[in-house]
Amino acid sequence: EDLAIAFVSRDNLLVPYCHVVPITATNRTIYLITDFHPDVLSSTVICADEEGDDNAAVMYIGPDSLGLLDHWCSLHRLNCEKIVDIGAGSGIQALYLAQSSNEAEVMCVDINRRALRITKLNFDCNGFRPPTLILGDINGPSGQVYQVGTNQLAAPRSWKDLLENTTMMVSNPPFLPVPIHDPSINKRYGLFSSGGGSGEVVLSRLVGLASSVLSYDESATLAIVS
């Protein structure tokens, strides 16, 4: 119930919002829990609490996410001392990159609390140390560390303070141009799809943020698929 991954129907059946997707890369299979494609979920409504976006749908596994995983597989050296996944969704990119170093500091950022709860579930189910979860909109000034177990938020901190000295920043940002003043369209596309009125609002901010928080190490990387 806390994760909003299933609901009980009027016929007293347990109906899932999510499925489990096995993904094999570099000789290891990870199991990823995330929502069905919007075509499946279009007839359902994931319950939202009074803050509105906390139980929004989480990005399904698409070819763009898998394409970025294929990219990681082709590289022989990754600097993963501090991994930051912006718009983490189910945590697929951070989870894969965390395999490269047991000592890596992993931070997952999302505007949707439910996405962060599912990210933690995926790390737990695959036997990885839980990442630091950060709730916030990167278009705003700050984010807050989120404790899933207690549903508590730490005091807001600037993005530079939270993400400074990142060595690997990865993101599959939303890119669809969605009119911000049309609630019906916004609801149809959801948080994980809407790139603002131009479609480039999140992407532009992401590039600017990376320039201010990436480590000066020459191997520091920003990787985006969009």
Side-chain angles (χ1 to χ4, degrees), residues 72 77-85 94 96-108 123 129-132 162-170 213-221:
W72 301 134
R77 181 176 179 271
L78 295 172
N79 186 341
C80 292
E81 292 178 25
K82 183 174 181 177
I83 301 163
V84 174
D85 189 350
Y96 178 77
L97 288 169
Q99 297 182 79
S100 65
S101 174
N102 292 330
E103 303 302 319
E105 178 184 3
V106 182
M107 308 182 87
C108 294
F123 270 74
R129 186 175 58 187
T132 300
L162 283 166
L163 307 181
E164 196 169 29
N165 294 321
T166 295
T167 59
M168 173 64 70
M169 180 177 285
V170 61
V213 301
L214 279 176
S215 165
Y216 287 110
D217 188 299
E218 63 180 13
S219 62
T221 302

Side-chain angles (χ1 to χ4, degrees), residues 178-183 186:
V178 177
I180 59 176
H181 300 301
D182 190 328
N186 266 318

